[in-house]
Amino acid sequence: MEDLKYVTYCGLYCRLCSNMARIPKHASALRDTMRKGGWEYFGESEIEGFRQFWKVLKVLSDFDRTIPGCRGGCGPSDCEIRKCAAEKGVLTCAFCPESPCELLRKLIEKYPVIEENLARQRELGVDLWIEEQEKLAEGGFCYDDMGGEG
């Protein structure tokens, strides 16, 4: 069994989320550019609250290394899908006999890729599905590329 750290219960893959796939790179690039320009030294005198912004930019720069993934608690702390799947002991919603339930249908409206992902998990098994997702991540794909949110 592959490492499930980045496998959400609902059918998304954490490493394809902009929080891991894009934001850290952009935040790091901005921070490096600003550092070269001396912002860490004079930023507060130019913009009120700059120190807090600088700290947030550092946190965002490290997201790809620090986000715990869905199973580690990333996302809404009150995620009903995570709670339900954990209580039922299912690997993902793909393997729940009640899938797609009302909770999942609402999320599919926002992220239609979930439906395809769950079907692929059932078809291939989670290990091969993870391999597919890792290839997408290595290729630079992000859910934002689909034109929706993510």
Side-chain angles (χ1 to χ4, degrees):
M1 177 62 65
E2 290 278 348
D3 182 6
L4 299 175
K5 179 178 180 177
Y6 301 122
V7 177
T8 69
Y9 290 105
C10 65
L12 294 172
Y13 194 66
C14 299
R15 290 200 58 224
L16 300 181
C17 173
S18 62
N19 287 344
M20 287 189 160
R22 302 268 165 82
I23 290 172
K25 292 174 196 161
H26 294 302
S28 290
L30 178 58
R31 202 164 193 272
D32 290 345
T33 298
M34 292 179 81
R35 184 180 293 114
K36 287 176 186 173
W39 278 87
E40 67 184 313
Y41 302 107
F42 69 82
E44 189 64 33
S45 64
E46 295 292 319
I47 301 172
E48 184 178 335
F50 179 81
R51 282 192 185 111
Q52 183 61 30
F53 166 75
W54 194 248
K55 288 178 186 176
V56 169
L57 203 53
K58 173 65 173 137
V59 169
L60 291 174
S61 297
D62 294 334
F63 257 20
D64 56 340
R65 293 182 302 278
T66 60
I67 289 179
C70 168
R71 292 164 192 266
C74 186
S77 60
D78 62 346
C79 177
E80 292 294 323
I81 293 173
R82 178 173 40 221
K83 181 181 174 186
C84 177
E87 285 174 1
K88 290 182 177 178
V90 294
L91 193 60
T92 72
C93 293
F95 306 103
C96 178
E98 297 174 32
S99 182
C101 65
E102 188 60 31
L103 291 171
L104 197 54
R105 278 194 277 277
K106 286 180 186 177
L107 196 59
I108 288 171
E109 287 176 20
K110 189 173 182 178
Y111 301 98
V113 70
I114 288 173
E115 205 162 28
E116 179 184 336
N117 284 350
L118 294 175
R120 293 289 289 165
Q121 288 176 9
R122 285 187 290 271
E123 177 186 335
L124 299 174
V126 174
D127 287 345
L128 291 177
W129 179 80
I130 291 172
E131 288 179 24
E132 281 187 348
Q133 303 311 295
E134 281 297 315
K135 286 178 186 170
L136 290 171
E138 289 166 14
F141 176 80
C142 176
Y143 289 128
D144 291 352
D145 296 337
M146 300 176 78
E149 298 177 43

